[in-house]
Structure formats: C-alpha cells, structure tokens
Amino acid sequence: MILALLASLALAQGDYAPGRAGTDPLDAEREARVQRLGKQIRCPVCQGVSIADSPSSMARAQLDKVRELVAAGRSDEEIYQYFVARYGEWALLSPSKQGVTSVLWLAPVLLILLGTLFIWLQVRKKPAAPPAAEPAVSTAAAEEDPYLAAVRKDLQQ
Amino acid sequence: MKRWVVIGVAVAATATLLVVYFKAFGTDPHAVPFMLTGKKAPPFKIKRLDTGEVVDSSAYAGQPMVLNFWSTWCGPCKQEHPVLNWAAQKYQGRAVFFGIVFESEEDATKRWLQEHGEGFPQLFDPKSTVAVDYGVSGVPETYFIDKSGTIVSKYPYPIDPRTMEARLAEIL
C-alpha cells in the first residue's frame, strides 16, 4: 500500500518515461509499409521485440524515424541501413543474406545435405557378410595332439 | 583415410567453437552494439532549456564536445550528474558540454535541474529524434566527440570521474 502511494507520488512528479502517441500515421499504403519495416527492426531497449510491437517510448521514436524515412521516399534497404549503421546487423530481426551473416542461412541447408548424404551412404553400403563359422578342430591336428590321443586310448580300454 | 577425415572434421569443429568462445569471452551479452564510433557525429538543432534558444551543433565545429543523454526518471542519471557538473567546470574552455534530455517532460526536467543543479547547458529533445540519430540504447549515455566532429567513444553507463578524465584525454 505504502509502495503504491510512493509510486503514485513519483508519477505525479513526472518521474517516469512519458508515453507518446508518435507522429500521425501516413496514408494506408505507406503506413502498412512503415509497420512491415518496423516489424523487422529490433527495439534496443526491449528483449527481442520489434519497434512495431514494443510500447516503449524509444521504440515509438524509432518508428517515427521509419515513418519520416518512408515519407521522404527512402527504399527499404536504405531504411534498414539507417539502423544497421547505428546498431550493426543486431538491429535486424532477420539477419541479412549477405556477407558473414549468410552463414546463418546456409549452415542449416548444408547440414541437411550432409546428413542426407551420410544416411544415403549408410543405406547404400552392403551389409557385412556373416563371419565364417569356426572350423572344428581339424582331424589332423587332433591326431597330432598327444593329450587327445591319450584320451581316445583311455576310452577304448 | 576415413580416420583422418573424422579427425579433420572434429578438429575443424573444435577450432570453430574455440574461436567463437574467445571472441565473445569477457563481453557483455546484453550490450547493444554501437557502430558510430569513428563516424561523424550526426548534426542536431534543438532547444536549450534555460534560455529557449535553438542550439545548432554546427556552430561548435572545431571544438571537442561531450554529449550526455539522460532522462528525469533515470536513477543512475541522478547518480552521475555531479560528475558531469564537475567535469564541465574543470574543462570549461577546452571542451563543450551539453546534456540532452529525452523521454521526459519539459516541466519535470526544469524542476529536476532546479533540484540537482545545472552546471552546463541542457538541451531538450522532445521527440527523441536526436537520441535515435545517435543510436542511443538506454540512459545514461555519454558521447565523446573530437574537434573534427568524429565520435571517439560512447560510455553507456553512469560515468565516474576517472573514466570521464580518461575519455576526455582522448578528444582534447
């Protein structure tokens, strides 16, 4: 109760990040583009949320920037580059398919191909021939064995 | 032959993991990357809170500059404010200091400054446009810009006197 009262007092004094409505939306077509681009740009003060989905005032300010760049006729690539120039590829929720980050896209495909190749090689391999049965002790060897000869002799008696 | 292939693959996989491990070792996994180091500082034109005049950053070309981004609701900003007031006085004439207040209400900011002191000019960024241009990712953040207008470094934590002097030495 006391905490709630203190929080209310702090809010009354302006000790909070004020919510902002952001700039006015553009016409329907361009605003749809603003929202589509905003969903691909990571909010820097949130946890894995896009600037289009975050309610934080920093994200609102960044979406305003996207709106300003769209209104100025900038291309999608130029707008992404504005944020990449400040935060690196980290700013993009879908990493670009060029340069070092292309590995992120290619690695899963490569692993699937390697796995398929491995399975195919295993299936194609001929099953190993069953091991030959152990030959019985050869008769000749048995005849030469003095112990066996002694046993036979004892049995005959 | 087959044995050497297996060993080769194992060595390559281990080496890759070691490179990733040592590259990331000691870094803050929550730190937001900052790519403007070594680039020209974005220009700005915003209102000064005490006089109401519009400050144009281009008017300060050729002078080292310290920009401190902060907000009234930010506890660590309160903690570092005396350090900034002290440095602004100590380095007066050698570097230009500006506070840039964003995500705050103008009246609340004025009250805050009356309470905590205003040792250097404070600029008001009502729509956070300057903060977005500078790639700010939280508060407080202090930027050090040399006399050629290049961002030499950014300190994204509450600044202490020792760090302030070390960073200033890089731009003076």
Side-chain angles (χ1 to χ4, degrees):
Chain A
M1 184 67 179
I2 293 170
L3 279 175
L5 283 171
L6 287 173
S8 307
L9 194 63
L11 288 172
Q13 290 180 334
D15 292 343
Y16 59 95
R20 289 199 304 106
T23 51
D24 291 334
L26 302 172
D27 57 78
E29 191 182 336
R30 287 190 300 170
E31 187 59 27
R33 192 175 154 224
V34 168
Q35 296 299 324
R36 179 175 57 78
L37 290 167
K39 282 194 181 293
Q40 295 299 318
I41 298 167
R42 189 191 300 267
C43 164
V45 297
C46 320
Q47 295 285 330
V49 180
S50 76
I51 58 171
D53 296 321
S54 168
S56 80
S57 51
M58 190 65 190
R60 297 290 94 193
Q62 289 188 321
L63 201 62
D64 284 350
K65 188 71 195 184
V66 174
R67 201 168 277 128
E68 179 193 320
L69 295 172
V70 165
R74 300 292 183 87
S75 69
D76 289 4
E77 189 54 34
E78 285 174 324
I79 293 170
Y80 287 140
Q81 278 310 310
Y82 173 87
F83 290 94
V84 170
R86 282 149 183 80
Y87 303 107
E89 291 283 337
W90 179 92
L92 304 178
L93 286 169
S94 284
S96 79
K97 297 179 180 70
Q98 295 168 348
V100 180
T101 48
S102 61
V103 174
L104 294 172
W105 297 93
L106 291 176
V109 178
L110 197 64
L111 284 173
I112 288 171
L113 288 175
L114 283 173
T116 309
L117 182 69
F118 177 77
I119 292 168
W120 183 69
L121 287 174
Q122 291 299 313
V123 169
R124 196 166 153 266
K125 200 189 278 182
K126 286 179 182 169
E134 280 287 318
V137 180
S138 74
T139 321
E143 281 173 0
E144 286 170 12
D145 190 330
Y147 296 104
L148 278 174
V151 169
R152 285 201 182 99
K153 193 178 173 185
D154 288 345
L155 287 171
Q156 283 170 359
Q157 284 176 357
Chain B
M1 176 65 184
K2 192 179 171 185
R3 188 163 165 261
W4 286 109
V5 171
V6 172
I7 291 173
V9 170
V11 168
T14 309
T16 308
L17 286 174
L18 284 173
V19 167
V20 171
Y21 175 76
F22 282 109
K23 202 162 181 283
F25 191 75
T27 57
D28 180 358
H30 302 293
V32 175
F34 179 65
M35 310 305 284
L36 289 179
T37 304
K39 305 275 171 58
K40 288 287 176 195
F44 58 81
K45 278 183 191 174
I46 44 174
K47 191 176 80 171
R48 186 171 160 158
L49 270 171
D50 55 351
T51 61
E53 67 172 310
V54 172
V55 171
D56 182 348
S57 61
S58 64
Y60 298 88
Q63 298 179 61
M65 189 181 282
V66 177
L67 296 181
N68 176 247
F69 287 85
W70 67 281
S71 300
T72 53
W73 44 267
C74 149
C77 301
K78 198 182 291 181
Q79 179 192 329
E80 70 163 9
H81 192 65
V83 178
L84 287 150
N85 280 338
W86 160 79
Q89 295 302 315
K90 181 173 178 183
Y91 289 90
Q92 196 171 20
R94 287 192 280 166
V96 178
F97 280 69
F98 284 121
I100 298 184
V101 193
F102 69 112
E103 295 195 7
S104 302
E105 301 287 359
E106 188 169 348
D107 289 343
T109 307
K110 285 178 176 169
R111 282 198 303 274
W112 194 100
L113 288 167
Q114 276 173 359
E115 190 181 337
H116 298 95
E118 191 173 346
F120 57 104
Q122 300 294 331
L123 314 180
F124 191 61
D125 184 16
K127 289 183 181 272
S128 305
T129 48
V130 180
V132 171
D133 270 349
Y134 273 79
V136 167
S137 56
V139 276
E141 288 191 352
T142 306
Y143 289 67
F144 295 87
I145 300 162
D146 68 12
K147 58 185 175 188
S148 73
T150 303
I151 297 176
V152 173
S153 67
K154 166 172 109 160
Y155 193 70
Y157 310 100
I159 200 157
D160 58 277
R162 187 175 293 180
T163 306
M164 174 63 86
E165 297 226 288
R167 300 281 175 124
L168 274 165
E170 293 173 355
I171 61 167
L172 293 177

